[in-house]
Amino acid sequence: MTGPRNWLNTALRWVAGIAIAVPAALLAGASPAAAHPMPHSVVQLDVYEHSVSARLEIPVGEFARASGIDVSDKTLTARTGAIRAYLVAHIFPTATDGRTWQVAIGRLTLSRAVQTDTGEYRELVARAELTPPAATDVRHFTFGYDVVVHQVVTHTVLVTVRQDWAAGQVDGEGTTQVGTIRVDTRTLKVPALKVDLGEGSAWRGFVAMLELGGDHILTGTDHLLFLLILLLPAPLAARGGRWNGLVGPRKALTRIGRITLAFTAGHSVALAATALGRLHVPAWPVEAFIAASILVGAIHAVRPLFPGKEALVAGVFGLGHGMAFSFVLAEMQLTTGQLVTSLLGFNLGIELVQLLLVCLALPSLLVLARLRVQPALRLTGAALTGTAAVGWLADRLGLANPVARAADSAGSHTTLLLATLTVTAVAALTWVAILRRQARSALPDHTTPHPEAPASKPLASTP
């Protein structure tokens, strides 16, 4: 009886040993990468009216394992043709009626990326243009894609939309998740992704551009500084090459209105001409011109350079600011119809927010001019603005500096800016209301000041 039991015990030991030894051998022979999460690929879609552009971000290690093409900084140029051929063979979008889209691979680059689970790694970045057959809906299609996934079964691909004008997604900051591509563990095949972007409309594009225009002027520190620094001395009178004394409230309001309208006209004309003409203007000269315009405005706030001609200067410099605004539209690759709609919405957004900011700053500008501390506050504002302008000018001419970085970061504090302008506007209006009430209470009831009584002096004169 002991024989069968000994045999059974021996067999069980063998089975247990094999159960332990086989996984251990597999783990010992596995590559280090197999023991850690692998980075995933990302496909970002930009949806246009008649085509879709895809930005492919593919981990270099997984790409080489799947394609057999070793990619590095030294070999990328020589292997561009092979890389493009591989990508075209593994990207196959189709229309809802089954017709195949055309796929063209554009520029290829290498970059570094970081994912939370995997840390830093190299990735291949490729641009693919996906063009459907004529009269095909670009918002509903089947995205066949098995780059890397056809060989590396644990790999996944995240598909997102970065820009979709007709859906109101235009800022390029966030993405909308479309789906994930991976191997089906039951069939060991890679199913195509059904892309349904919903129904787009020109109205959604218009509203999105309206919001983008408002946000652009609100976060554009350089544009705001130029306008505000020109408005700062508007209530002051220029005498003997200095700001000395005040002009009347009506004249001050007229000046502020003319400066604002001239700046609006200047950048609106340049924005429309550059965008509709699809002019490709180099960015750095325009940005340098804007920095120079702010510096000129800061100097003018200290000593009048062009008294009475502020509106003309605002209009001329506004042309440069309008060209800078057009860079936003140029990056979107819109059709003519979309471009016209976007131009209207974008410019309207700029003007509405600009009008809001001027209205909020107006009470403070008028009250500030009558305070004794006005010269000190004006010179301080001009000095800070001039410093920022010099930093921007140096940076845009190729000399990076912390002043420019600090000035740029100010655009991220839009809530603080609006809150400050609102509080100062309320304080200024309250101060004016209190003074008027005090003036009325100082007069006897049912009487008027004697016609020969001296006029009340302003609170402060401007030296």
Side-chain angles (χ1 to χ4, degrees), residues 4-368:
R5 288 183 179 178
N6 291 337
W7 177 86
L8 180 60
N9 289 335
T10 301
L12 290 174
R13 290 192 186 98
W14 275 100
V15 171
I18 293 172
I20 295 173
V22 170
L26 291 175
L27 290 174
S31 63
H36 301 281
M38 294 186 298
H40 55 260
S41 294
V42 175
V43 177
Q44 291 183 332
L45 304 178
D46 292 338
V47 183
Y48 305 122
E49 189 170 7
H50 302 299
S51 65
V52 175
S53 179
R55 174 185 165 92
L56 316 178
E57 301 174 358
I58 310 167
V60 166
E62 282 65 38
F63 179 82
R65 191 173 305 149
S67 65
I69 305 172
D70 185 21
V71 182
S72 66
D73 293 318
K74 296 181 179 179
T75 62
L76 178 61
T77 301
R79 296 177 181 174
T80 295
I83 295 172
R84 286 175 174 163
Y86 169 81
L87 293 175
V88 168
H90 293 277
I91 303 175
F92 31 89
T94 57
T96 53
D97 59 5
R99 289 185 294 168
T100 303
W101 289 29
Q102 293 181 354
V103 178
I105 306 299
R107 186 185 179 194
L108 303 174
T109 58
L110 289 175
S111 67
R112 296 191 178 276
V114 178
Q115 291 179 9
T116 304
D117 296 334
T118 62
E120 185 174 318
Y121 62 96
R122 297 299 300 277
E123 68 179 6
L124 172 67
V125 179
R127 195 78 181 184
E129 295 298 327
L130 315 178
T131 306
T136 301
D137 183 9
V138 299
R139 308 191 62 78
H140 303 85
F141 62 96
T142 301
F143 188 44
Y145 181 99
D146 64 359
V147 175
V148 176
V149 190
H150 71 107
Q151 288 291 337
V152 184
V153 296
T154 56
H155 195 70
T156 59
V157 181
L158 302 182
V159 183
T160 62
V161 172
R162 182 177 60 175
Q163 177 182 317
D164 185 358
W165 184 88
Q169 188 171 341
V170 296
D171 57 8
E173 297 295 330
T175 58
T176 301
Q177 187 78 21
V178 175
T180 303
I181 297 174
R182 57 165 57 95
V183 170
D184 187 334
T185 55
R186 294 173 298 176
T187 64
L188 296 182
K189 295 182 179 180
V190 183
L193 178 65
K194 299 290 186 181
V195 177
D196 183 356
L197 302 178
E199 298 300 325
S201 68
W203 172 250
R204 296 178 69 178
F206 173 82
V207 172
M209 293 305 301
L210 180 74
E211 295 174 353
L212 184 62
D215 182 71
H216 193 70
I217 188 66
L218 190 59
T219 57
T221 314
D222 49 357
H223 303 297
L224 288 179
L225 275 183
F226 172 73
L227 180 59
L228 292 177
I229 201 63
L230 275 187
L231 295 179
L232 184 59
L236 305 179
R239 297 189 182 96
R242 300 178 61 187
W243 295 115
N244 189 3
L246 303 174
V247 299
R250 180 174 298 179
K251 188 172 183 179
L253 288 174
T254 301
R255 282 184 180 178
I256 292 173
R258 286 178 177 175
I259 293 171
T260 304
L261 288 176
F263 181 64
T264 297
H267 71 64
S268 297
V269 169
L271 173 59
T274 308
L276 294 178
R278 300 186 184 273
L279 302 178
H280 299 284
V281 182
W284 76 263
V286 174
E287 299 294 346
F289 177 80
I290 291 173
S293 72
I294 299 169
L295 182 58
V296 170
I299 296 173
H300 179 68
V302 178
R303 287 289 185 270
L305 299 178
F306 36 84
K309 299 180 181 179
E310 289 87 355
L312 176 62
V313 173
V316 172
F317 281 133
L319 296 173
H321 290 254
M323 290 182 186
F325 291 147
S326 70
F327 295 152
V328 178
L329 299 179
E331 296 174 355
M332 295 183 180
Q333 303 179 28
L334 303 173
T335 62
T336 302
Q338 291 177 336
L339 184 58
V340 172
T341 303
S342 297
L343 182 61
L344 293 174
F346 187 71
N347 201 50
L348 182 59
I350 291 174
E351 307 317 331
L352 289 176
V353 173
Q354 180 177 284
L355 180 61
L356 170 65
L357 295 174
V358 171
C359 288
L360 288 176
L362 183 60
S364 302
L365 290 173
L366 296 177
V367 170
L368 173 64

